[in-house]
Amino acid sequence: MDEQLKSELRRQGVVATSLQELYNWGRKSSIWPLNFGLACCAIEMIATTMARYDLARFGAEVFRPSPRQADLMIVAGTVTKKMAPQVVRLYNQMAEPKYVISMGACAISGGPFKQGYNVLKGIDRYIPVDVFIPGCPPRPEALLDAFLMLQRKIDEQQLTGPERPRHLQAEQPSEFIVPQYSEHDLIPTRNDTIWHAPLVNISNAGANESGRD
Amino acid sequence: MNLEEIKIQIEANVPGCFLEILPNASPSGQHSLIVDTEHALTVASFLRDGANPRFDYCSNVTGVDWPLKETSAKQKTKKIVDGVEKEVEEVVKTSTGNYLEVVYHLFSLEDRQGPVVLRMRTEDRAERVHLPSLTPVWRSAELQEREVYDLFGIVFDGHPDLRRLLMWEEFTDHPMRKDYVDPDDYEYEPTPHDEILKRTQAHYAAQEPRSEAGEAR
Ligand code: SF4
């Protein structure tokens, strides 16, 4: 429907909409996050929900303590290898449609602890992530921005056609492999169906840097 | 409070124990007391109940890994060769380390004194890694001894619940040991440097035969 006609109608007190708009509006305006934090970033997440930043303005004030009632997992903090299976299991237990915000350097890549013996190098190795927020920790404004970005993303989704979201495609998985503990590392170390190592050229790394021989 | 005095106190009250003061040359001058493993528990109980001041609080337990370190130095010695005294150069090899160490920091809350630093050493780094647990004396050592067991592999005899603390039960390594090699997951290092760079290059070199587009890497 023509946008101009729509706003004209609205002025006359008639609201015209489509099922898709209504559906997306409903989804994006009631994203309930899972009540779940892992490390220092969680403190910023908590601050975001409090009166000063007030995440409630965007319809996400209800932090659910059960994955069954949550739509959004904010992975806020360092994911240790010991915790990673539990994080994936919580994600698997959430009902579709579900979204993930990976908050902070740790959840993105391992952050300051990337080479640590017990730190997962990014939660996107096991579960699909919708929005990444860099920062250590990201400010509450950054989390709000990520939240608005997620809302925009939901708003743009088509309900039909090949581009429709995952939860409307019956053949797409909604559960992902839960890694197992083993003698030296988690098995598997990553889910190859959703994570691929980005191509990086390391042949020049370490050279041309002043102060180095 | 003088560590020397405490040492004398312990020696007078725990017969047969072997103590050694390990000096610390830094400005803080926090010398520590090496306790032999056989008498450690008695020494600990004495420090808690009988010493003056009584060390009723153990604030910190940690481990240290001392891998085998061999140094060779040339030394000139006089030797009698064929009945003539000659100066001969000899290579003297000394080795230090090859043990694990656990460190306890004790305080006296009554007298506001401390810390007294206790150290115990294992016989080697492989099999004989047993030390007496001081948890029966200071309850606060329980979790920290578990952590030392987890990360350094020191086995505390007499600990009420010796399980891994930070790593999972199936894990077999001890990550804080100097010779721990972490799993090779260096497939994505955007800004590698130093040790990481070497590991990343080794990782890519191992991957090379498998990937067709070798240039991209
Ligand atoms: S990114 Fe920084 S603030 Fe966030 S969990 Fe990691 S270390 Fe903490």
mmCIF file of all heavy atoms in Angstrom, chain A residues 39-41 77-78 104-106 112-113 135-137, ligand 1:
data_model
loop_
_atom_site.group_PDB
_atom_site.id
_atom_site.type_symbol
_atom_site.label_atom_id
_atom_site.label_comp_id
_atom_site.label_asym_id
_atom_site.label_seq_id
_atom_site.Cartn_x
_atom_site.Cartn_y
_atom_site.Cartn_z
ATOM 1 N N ALA A 39 29.285 -12.049 33.095
ATOM 2 C CA ALA A 39 30.451 -11.402 33.710
ATOM 3 C C ALA A 39 30.181 -9.911 33.824
ATOM 4 O O ALA A 39 29.035 -9.496 33.895
ATOM 5 C CB ALA A 39 31.711 -11.705 32.911
ATOM 6 N N CYS A 40 31.246 -9.121 33.780
ATOM 7 C CA CYS A 40 31.135 -7.684 34.018
ATOM 8 C C CYS A 40 30.137 -6.999 33.087
ATOM 9 O O CYS A 40 29.457 -6.060 33.480
ATOM 10 C CB CYS A 40 32.498 -7.015 33.922
ATOM 11 S SG CYS A 40 33.825 -8.025 33.296
ATOM 12 N N CYS A 41 30.016 -7.452 31.836
ATOM 13 C CA CYS A 41 29.076 -6.832 30.908
ATOM 14 C C CYS A 41 27.646 -6.904 31.430
ATOM 15 O O CYS A 41 26.823 -6.039 31.126
ATOM 16 C CB CYS A 41 29.131 -7.520 29.554
ATOM 17 S SG CYS A 41 30.388 -6.860 28.468
ATOM 18 N N GLY A 77 28.852 -11.055 28.638
ATOM 19 C CA GLY A 77 30.017 -11.403 29.438
ATOM 20 C C GLY A 77 30.861 -12.507 28.842
ATOM 21 O O GLY A 77 30.600 -13.012 27.760
ATOM 22 N N THR A 78 31.889 -12.868 29.599
ATOM 23 C CA THR A 78 32.837 -13.884 29.173
ATOM 24 C C THR A 78 32.169 -15.247 29.180
ATOM 25 O O THR A 78 31.629 -15.662 30.195
ATOM 26 C CB THR A 78 34.007 -13.923 30.162
ATOM 27 O OG1 THR A 78 34.326 -12.603 30.556
ATOM 28 C CG2 THR A 78 35.204 -14.599 29.567
ATOM 29 N N GLY A 104 29.615 -7.237 24.101
ATOM 30 C CA GLY A 104 30.960 -7.075 24.647
ATOM 31 C C GLY A 104 32.010 -7.894 23.926
ATOM 32 O O GLY A 104 31.724 -8.880 23.253
ATOM 33 N N ALA A 105 33.242 -7.460 24.112
ATOM 34 C CA ALA A 105 34.371 -8.098 23.431
ATOM 35 C C ALA A 105 34.447 -9.590 23.743
ATOM 36 O O ALA A 105 34.760 -10.399 22.876
ATOM 37 C CB ALA A 105 35.671 -7.405 23.848
ATOM 38 N N CYS A 106 34.157 -9.954 24.978
ATOM 39 C CA CYS A 106 34.277 -11.363 25.372
ATOM 40 C C CYS A 106 33.298 -12.244 24.618
ATOM 41 O O CYS A 106 33.674 -13.285 24.083
ATOM 42 C CB CYS A 106 34.010 -11.516 26.855
ATOM 43 S SG CYS A 106 35.309 -10.878 27.865
ATOM 44 N N PRO A 112 39.528 -9.696 26.044
ATOM 45 C CA PRO A 112 40.848 -9.639 26.671
ATOM 46 C C PRO A 112 41.376 -11.013 27.073
ATOM 47 O O PRO A 112 42.550 -11.153 27.357
ATOM 48 C CB PRO A 112 40.634 -8.752 27.896
ATOM 49 C CG PRO A 112 39.205 -8.429 27.961
ATOM 50 C CD PRO A 112 38.509 -8.972 26.778
ATOM 51 N N PHE A 113 40.494 -11.990 27.111
ATOM 52 C CA PHE A 113 40.921 -13.324 27.563
ATOM 53 C C PHE A 113 40.986 -14.311 26.401
ATOM 54 O O PHE A 113 40.882 -15.508 26.601
ATOM 55 C CB PHE A 113 39.952 -13.845 28.621
ATOM 56 C CG PHE A 113 39.541 -12.801 29.613
ATOM 57 C CD1 PHE A 113 38.259 -12.310 29.640
ATOM 58 C CD2 PHE A 113 40.463 -12.292 30.501
ATOM 59 C CE1 PHE A 113 37.892 -11.325 30.540
ATOM 60 C CE2 PHE A 113 40.106 -11.318 31.402
ATOM 61 C CZ PHE A 113 38.813 -10.832 31.424
ATOM 62 N N GLY A 135 32.995 -3.491 22.564
ATOM 63 C CA GLY A 135 33.190 -2.654 23.737
ATOM 64 C C GLY A 135 33.545 -3.505 24.934
ATOM 65 O O GLY A 135 33.255 -4.685 24.969
ATOM 66 N N CYS A 136 34.198 -2.873 25.878
ATOM 67 C CA CYS A 136 34.617 -3.643 27.053
ATOM 68 C C CYS A 136 34.491 -2.807 28.307
ATOM 69 O O CYS A 136 35.457 -2.243 28.744
ATOM 70 C CB CYS A 136 36.029 -4.148 26.883
ATOM 71 S SG CYS A 136 36.634 -5.066 28.303
ATOM 72 N N PRO A 137 33.347 -2.717 28.931
ATOM 73 C CA PRO A 137 32.057 -3.181 28.445
ATOM 74 C C PRO A 137 31.436 -2.134 27.542
ATOM 75 O O PRO A 137 31.778 -0.966 27.620
ATOM 76 C CB PRO A 137 31.247 -3.323 29.726
ATOM 77 C CG PRO A 137 31.796 -2.251 30.610
ATOM 78 C CD PRO A 137 33.249 -2.120 30.265
HETATM 79 S S1 SF4 C 1 33.911 -7.488 27.333
HETATM 80 FE FE1 SF4 C 1 34.974 -6.508 29.050
HETATM 81 S S2 SF4 C 1 33.333 -5.852 30.416
HETATM 82 FE FE2 SF4 C 1 32.455 -7.386 29.034
HETATM 83 S S3 SF4 C 1 32.626 -9.330 30.076
HETATM 84 FE FE3 SF4 C 1 34.444 -9.094 28.801
HETATM 85 S S4 SF4 C 1 35.972 -8.166 30.158
HETATM 86 FE FE4 SF4 C 1 33.963 -7.887 31.123
#
